Structures are given as structure tokens and as C-alpha cells.
Amino acid sequence: MGWPWNSHEAKGLGARRVIVTEVNPVRALEAVFDGFEVMPMSEAAEVGDIFITATGDINAITLDHILKMRDGAVLANAGHFNVEIDVAGLERVAAEKRRIRDYVVEYRLPNGKRVYLLAEGRLVNLVAAEGHPSEVMDMSFSNQALAVEYIVRNRGKLQLGVHKLPDELDMEVARLKLETMGIRIDQLTEEQRRYITSWGLGT
Amino acid sequence: MAYKVKDVSLAEKGRLLIDWAERHMPVLMKIRERFIKDKPLEGVKISASLHVTKETAVLVRTLVAGGATVTLVPSNPLSTQDEVAAALAEEGVHVYAWKGMNEREYYNAIGFAISQEPVVTMDDGADLTVTLHKLALGVKSSETNYALETAGDRDFAKLISGVYGGTEETTTGVIRLRAMAKEGTLRYPIIAVNDSYTKYLFDNRYGTGQSTWDGILRATNILVAGKIVVVAGYGWVGRGIAMRLRALVHVG
């Protein structure tokens, strides 16, 4: 045993690290350039204190990963469905299970370690808190209201398929949001507008 | 049955929550002012499967102000704020929602939304749209069986052919609906609200980024500084979570 800060545990505790796991090489590269560590989940599982899934896919954290985790690891999901953490696998192998707090369940694993699952692996922000703050839902739901109006105004005319809301409505939401925040922006001059919409003007 | 909520006596508390949200949603309130004047949704029946939160209540009130009749069911079995559901029920919205539904109750709610014969659907995760399509196409599953318990015996193919269109709030739902469109099973047009710049660049990043930490901290009250955090997935949500974490503990 050396000084605590030389030990493996102290290194883990002392270092504030954010690790990102990805399957998409472009996103992984972005994460690296944004200043985060990137590694496979099988390695991250061994070192993390808090795990948060946001993949939109199933089994981002498998039972194998969970069995590798440190004692006391916290598991939370931010993705839409409760499929990202293998909760069923965890339930199956757990030697013991108890609810510690409203949204925290402790599982004792066969290897003696304990992990803490938040909000049953469902959307932690909506289950344990109140979802997104109103200011941001202001924009999302303004888009919803305008989308419903757009559907009703254009009934029978929209092509079958999945469409984006027209850009001018999207921009209108941003314009109104800025206005309500008291923030003003520049307008293109006539000269600038002509320059940026023409292809004939070069060097 | 006009509504089914946990406890309608929670309505006063719900109204205070909704008032607070309205105070912080000025753009939607501006749209509401226009809706009150123009009534663009007069006589339109809308069924929405959205998280039953105070912000959703502000949206629902806005749609009602535009002339619509709105049915609201959850888009997650655990995300309903019972106070908000009570307040909306008291205002005449057809709410079928309470916190802590089991799978059967959840799809009963979806079936109830379908039973109101909407001409516009609103979704967060696409459960309502997908279930309506399954019923219209005769696809059987435990979900559709539960939905049928409340949707009743009706001509779902005819119902779906009367739907003008639907909206979808989130990435997961858009992916499901694009898969349906590609396969040729989609029966009405969808506006992917998620794909608006003023949605995904803000909601998915700043909204989920902050509220995910809010949820984790409220649930556990643990100290984040000094911890090793693993974020699986670096889409808009994942980067929002990582970015907010950096703000919480000043990590590089």
C-alpha cells in the first residue's frame, strides 16, 4: 500500500473524468475533439461511478457490463424507452433488491457488489424530476402548435411521409424567442443579400 | 367517461404549476393569442400521447384556445404529473393519465386516445401512431389487445383514412415513423417536430442535458465533483449531458 493518491482507487476518485462511448466514428471523433475520453463500454464499465445511456437503442449497458462495474455504480437512462440498460438481466441475477429512496433501487449482484438503478431505467429526467425546463419546451411546443396548424391548413395536400416543419416557421420560433428575451440581431443589407444569393460574383 | 386521473382534487396545485410554466413560455403564449383570435383549429379533434407535464398543459391549453378538442394520454407510464392531469381534466380536456401505469393501463390509455376518433395525432415516441396503424392493419400483439379494451369495436381502417396528419416530438419516434414510411405502411403524413432546428438544437441538448442531471441529483443527492461519469451515446442528448456535466464540475 502506498500513499492513497497513488493507489488505483484514489486515482479514480481524484480524477474527474467524463467518458463517452459511441458506435459512430464521426460522433466518437467529435467527442474526443470536444475534450472527452472515448472508449468501449466494456472498459468504461470497470471505471465509471455514474452511467447514463442516451443511445436510443437496446442494451447499451448489458448484464456483462454491469457485472464488471465497481461497487456502488449508479445507472440512469436518458433515452426514450427503458431498453438501454438490461434491467431484465439485472432482475434475473440479482441476489437481493431493495428500494433505498423514491427513485433508487439497490441490486446486490452475485459477485457481492451493489449497483443502483434510477427510475427503473426509464427516462430519469421525467420520472425523478420534472422533465425539461419550461423555457426550452417553449420552443419545442411552439413547433408542435405550429405543426398542428400546418397539418390542418394543408389537410389533403401533404404527401404521405415524414416531413420537417417548413424552415420559415422554424425561423419564426427562433425570431420570437429572441424577441421575448430582448435580444436583437442584424439584418442583411440589400447589398449583402444580393451577394450571398448570386453565383456570378467571385474574387 | 370524460377523463381518468389519479385525483381530481389535485387540480389547484396543478393550476399553479401550469401558471408557472406559462410564465416561462412566452413564444407559445404569443401563438395562443393568435389562436384565440384566428381559431385555426375550430372543430378539430386531436389525440395526443405526450408526457403529461406542466409544459404539455400549456400546449394543450393553446390548442384548445385555437378551437380544438383535445384528448391527452401519457407517452411514458411514469412521467405523468398527477396535479397537472387533474387541472386539465377539470378544464374539460379528455385526460387519461396517472403516474405509475402498468403496461396494460398504458395501452388502455392509448386505446382511449384512439376511441376519440382524432383527425390529428400528436406523439412523443410514436406509440399512438404505431398502435393506430397496427389496429388499422390488423396486426395483433399484447399492446393492441390492451388498446382494444378501451378503443372499442370500430372500423380502424376508416378511422385512419380520416386522419389529416400527425406530429412527432422525439428522435426515437421519428426513426420508427421513417421506418414505417420506407416500408410503405405509413397511412398519413407526419410532421417531425423533432427535426426543427428550434427543437433538437435546444430541447435535445440543453433541455435533456440539464433535466437529466436534475433527475439524477434529485434521485440520489450525490456529489458529482470527483466522480467518473460514463455517457453512452454522443447524439444531441448525449452531448448535452456531457456538456452540462462539464458546467457542473469544471472538467476538461
Side-chain angles (χ1 to χ4, degrees), chain B residues 72 91 98-99 155 168 170 179 199:
Chain B
L72 179 63
E91 289 171 23
W98 58 92
K99 185 165 184 151
D155 186 345
E168 171 52 52
T170 201
K199 199 279 180 181

Side-chain angles (χ1 to χ4, degrees), chain A residues 77-94:
Chain A
N77 168 48
H80 186 80
F81 289 117
N82 57 332
V83 295
E84 306 207 14
I85 300 167
D86 184 6
V87 178
L90 186 56
E91 291 271 341
R92 202 173 53 243
V93 304

